[in-house]
Amino acid sequence: MPRRVKSGPLDEVFAALANPTRRDILDALLDGEHTAGELAGKFDMARPSVSEHLRALRETGLVEERAEGRHRFYRVTGEPMAELIDWLTPYERFWRDRMIALGGVLDRMDDDDDE
Amino acid sequence: MTTNDDLTTIEVDQYFPHPPAKLWRALTTPDLMAQWLMPNDFEPVVGHRFTFHGRPVVQTGFSGQIACQVLELTPPKRLRISWADADDPGSMPTEVAWTLQPEGQGTRLILEHSGFDPDDPTQQLVRRLMNGGWRSHVLRRLTDVLQPVVCVRTGI
């Protein structure tokens, strides 16, 4: 497992995500890891621009880099993303968790009087 | 699982392999509600005021105490309550509605939490960042990606 460079504070995350191209890159990485070259081809962008965006995303901790031979792969880092989502939509996660808990309660309840 | 692009409403739905009547019991019986939601003094009577006692969540500024009132009660189809942070009377109360739809051998439960302040600076920021459907699309995809990532932060 690669080590996360650092987990930046939220304002850095927001600054990074304020750029629509970076959101697109992040979106593409949600499908799985890619090299900078693959991303450049996908978005018809110059490699240096892609690398610049990737660097900004890595500084937020949202994206991490993995070296394999001569290639460098980029992927979404789970934990900071989860934190971001929690922060954006705390209630959404709250209700999703409650739904899971409700499922457990229902499984333990008897079926009397329900038919 | 859906995410509404309208930031004033959160919508979550889930299928349960149980009949609506059983779900209705779990949604409206205080002891059972305490097992999946929070300890409470709920009564299934329209107009009844009650409180959920949860644990505070520092990150979200949630005091843990939620003042509620039963607004609508249609067994076994729909329950709607008001929902406000009891320690922050100045904040606009939100509403939580559960709708039960029979589906196959079970029930689909649709939860809508509505009435979030569209003028809240945080939400404005989110809306600016997440315009154009990016938010819902990515949140949905992230939910898939993050299934293995266990992180329960609600603390309740």
Side-chain angles (χ1 to χ4, degrees):
Chain A
M1 281 295 284
R3 298 265 306 274
R4 198 191 313 161
V5 182
K6 66 168 181 174
S7 181
L10 271 173
D11 50 4
E12 279 183 35
V13 170
F14 281 126
L17 293 181
N19 178 305
T21 307
R22 288 206 273 273
R23 296 204 296 263
D24 288 344
I25 289 174
L26 195 63
D27 194 18
L29 293 176
L30 288 172
D31 284 337
E33 50 180 29
H34 288 288
T35 63
E38 287 168 350
L39 291 167
K42 201 179 180 81
F43 295 114
D44 196 20
M45 276 171 62
R47 270 290 287 278
S49 315
V50 173
S51 299
E52 184 65 22
H53 286 309
L54 284 168
R55 192 175 56 77
L57 288 168
R58 279 173 54 214
E59 283 177 353
T60 65
L62 290 173
V63 166
E64 61 192 6
E65 184 185 71
R66 181 177 68 83
E68 188 178 298
R70 289 186 304 109
H71 294 287
R72 284 164 186 271
F73 290 94
Y74 296 89
R75 65 183 176 195
V76 168
T77 320
E79 186 68 15
M81 265 293 181
E83 285 170 19
L84 175 65
I85 293 171
D86 281 359
W87 189 84
L88 290 176
T89 56
Y91 264 119
E92 204 162 321
R93 179 167 288 273
F94 168 75
W95 287 121
R96 265 204 297 268
D97 291 341
R98 294 309 94 210
M99 288 275 200
I100 292 164
L102 172 60
V105 170
L106 289 164
D107 291 342
R108 290 194 301 272
M109 284 166 65
D110 51 39
D111 288 333
D112 292 353
D113 315 320
D114 287 328
E115 299 312 320
Chain B
M1 207 62 71
T2 56
T3 304
N4 201 318
D5 255 358
D6 170 11
L7 283 171
T8 63
T9 304
I10 289 164
E11 192 179 307
V12 175
D13 75 276
Q14 182 136 349
Y15 172 82
F16 295 99
H18 301 278
K22 188 175 180 182
L23 226 71
W24 185 257
R25 271 202 297 151
L27 288 172
T28 57
T29 309
D31 288 354
L32 294 171
M33 292 161 78
Q35 290 177 39
W36 67 270
L37 189 46
M38 283 173 265
N40 62 87
D41 53 334
F42 174 87
E43 285 176 26
V45 177
V46 171
H48 175 69
R49 292 182 183 276
F50 65 103
T51 308
F52 280 116
H53 304 281
R55 285 203 293 272
V57 182
V58 177
Q59 304 96 306
T60 59
F62 169 56
S63 77
Q65 306 300 308
I66 301 161
C68 303
Q69 184 175 21
V70 181
L71 302 174
E72 192 180 334
L73 190 87
T74 314
K77 291 186 180 135
R78 187 168 160 90
L79 169 67
R80 187 165 57 92
I81 63 173
S82 67
W83 176 286
D85 191 325
D87 286 7
D88 187 5
S91 68
M92 286 285 292
T94 56
E95 283 188 10
V96 179
W98 288 274
T99 307
L100 289 68
Q101 295 176 343
E103 185 175 309
Q105 297 298 301
T107 308
R108 181 161 297 278
L109 179 64
I110 297 155
L111 176 136
E112 288 168 284
H113 193 160
S114 60
F116 290 102
D117 181 5
D119 297 327
D120 179 277
T122 300
Q123 299 200 19
Q124 285 183 339
L125 177 65
V126 170
R127 196 183 294 108
R128 266 209 311 278
L129 288 171
M130 306 297 186
N131 56 5
W134 189 84
R135 173 181 175 274
S136 57
H137 168 66
V138 165
L139 279 180
R140 210 168 32 244
R141 294 264 290 280
L142 275 171
T143 304
D144 301 339
V145 171
L146 296 175
Q147 286 303 355
V149 178
V150 178
C151 65
V152 177
R153 284 179 220 290
T154 48
I156 294 166

